[in-house]
Amino acid sequence: MSPRTLFRTVAFAEAVTWTLLLLALLLRALVPEARVAVSIAGGLHGFVFLCYVVSTSFTWVNQKWPAGRGVLALVSAAIPYATIAVEKSMDRHGLLGDIWRLGAGGEQPRGFLEKLQAGVLARPVAAVAVVLVAVAAVFGFLLLMGPPDTWFA
């Protein structure tokens, strides 16, 4: 999977889960007994949000985006459907590459993040497994914390 395909796929998934969450919130407003829909949609959205953060950070390193562009891509996940606009803009400006520059036969990594990325690209199956476990662990911790609106109450 290319950086372009990864970023576009997860940005779209983030928008889809926003739709599910907004629909669940509407359903709960109309039918208060449908609270479980918000829990399910919210959990799914939270998991995809974490995946978006990881994949965006990974693409950011590969594409050498300036800090402002990377932060914009990350922040876009907090606004419904903004990931689609950011993805379209990045693609239109040629900022989503078709190759992993630090993959086999590519550039030599410099710095911690590039070395980490090169290691991930050298062992993609193991790396994806580790990332999924890490995202699941963070997700599980957040589930234990409860809904975000109760964290500071």
Side-chain angles (χ1 to χ4, degrees), residues 13-14 16-22 24-25 28 35-52 135-144 146-148 151:
E14 172 68 7
V16 168
T17 63
W18 264 116
T19 301
L20 295 174
L21 181 57
L22 293 172
L25 289 167
R28 183 184 69 186
R35 288 189 316 262
V36 71
V38 175
S39 296
I40 294 168
L44 184 59
H45 176 69
F47 184 79
V48 173
F49 171 83
L50 294 173
C51 291
Y52 178 80
V135 168
V138 170
F139 182 69
F141 172 75
L142 292 173
L143 282 177
L144 288 174
W151 292 353

Side-chain angles (χ1 to χ4, degrees), residues 43-127:
L44 184 59
H45 176 69
F47 184 79
V48 173
F49 171 83
L50 294 173
C51 291
Y52 178 80
V53 167
V54 170
S55 62
T56 298
S57 299
F58 202 69
T59 305
W60 180 355
V61 169
N62 187 74
Q63 298 306 115
K64 295 183 176 181
W65 291 338
R69 192 166 305 267
V71 170
L72 172 67
L74 290 173
V75 169
S76 72
I79 303 165
Y81 308 108
T83 57
I84 298 295
V86 167
E87 176 270 314
K88 295 289 183 201
S89 175
M90 297 270 204
D91 198 33
R92 189 173 38 256
H93 289 94
L95 298 170
L96 302 174
D98 289 323
I99 61 165
W100 295 104
R101 67 181 178 83
L102 298 169
E107 295 178 23
Q108 286 288 23
R110 288 177 280 173
F112 173 75
L113 292 176
E114 287 191 0
K115 288 179 182 177
L116 179 63
Q117 185 168 63
V120 167
L121 292 170
R123 294 168 211 81
V125 174

